[in-house]
Amino acid sequence: MPPKPLRECKVRGCRELTRDGYCHTHADGKQQEAKYYNKHVRDKRSTRFYYSKEWRQTRKLVLSRDSFLCQRCLKQNRVVPADTVHHIVEVKQDWNKRLDLNNLVSLCGRCHNKVHGKRGS
């Protein structure tokens, strides 16, 4: 198998080429940032929930219900496979709706990022 192609580092303005997303200069900083976030900022209860058996079963059920298609794209007459199950009302806002099928929708990664206002979509 051929190696991944070289691409510019993900840090804005850095022109260093890499195969791993971040160049050697920026890789350590991003790893330290992620470790800090995981240890001090990330919500532990939500993290445990997303690894639970009940979430995995509910997620499969929702994807199956939605025919494994992105429901947002489908409304725009585009057929795109879904890879994410999105909470309409976030888990942090209402813990009781975390497994409510009416609060869950299948989305593709791009639409999920748009819903959360993330770049790169």
Side-chain angles (χ1 to χ4, degrees), residues 103-120:
N103 186 47
L104 298 167
V105 64
S106 300
L107 296 177
C108 64
R110 184 176 187 160
C111 285
H112 193 246
N113 285 341
K114 283 181 184 176
V115 168
H116 286 286
K118 295 180 183 174
R119 295 181 45 173

Side-chain angles (χ1 to χ4, degrees), residues 1-99:
M1 188 151 119
K4 290 183 194 176
L6 288 170
R7 299 180 191 267
E8 285 186 2
C9 175
K10 289 183 181 180
V11 173
R12 181 174 280 163
C14 181
R15 301 282 183 225
E16 198 70 33
L17 296 177
T18 180
R19 288 187 168 89
D20 301 321
Y22 294 99
C23 67
H24 295 293
T25 306
H26 295 110
D28 288 339
K30 289 295 176 184
Q31 288 172 346
Q32 293 302 322
E33 192 177 300
K35 281 182 183 179
Y36 178 85
Y37 180 83
N38 288 336
K39 186 173 184 179
H40 301 288
V41 180
R42 188 176 300 276
D43 178 15
K44 306 284 190 270
R45 184 167 84 159
S46 293
T47 301
R48 277 194 312 275
F49 164 68
Y50 284 115
Y51 284 100
S52 72
K53 183 178 180 179
E54 59 186 359
W55 169 246
R56 288 193 308 270
Q57 290 172 340
T58 304
R59 182 180 182 280
K60 283 181 188 176
L61 184 63
V62 171
L63 286 168
S64 179
R65 176 198 69 191
D66 294 341
S67 303
F68 293 87
L69 296 174
C70 175
Q71 298 303 295
R72 199 165 183 231
C73 288
L74 213 52
K75 286 180 182 175
Q76 299 170 359
N77 295 320
R78 295 181 308 159
V79 178
V80 178
D83 55 10
T84 304
V85 173
H86 171 69
H87 285 90
I88 298 165
V89 175
E90 291 186 38
V91 173
K92 292 177 186 176
Q93 292 174 336
D94 189 348
W95 180 256
N96 295 323
K97 290 188 176 185
R98 70 190 181 282
L99 297 172

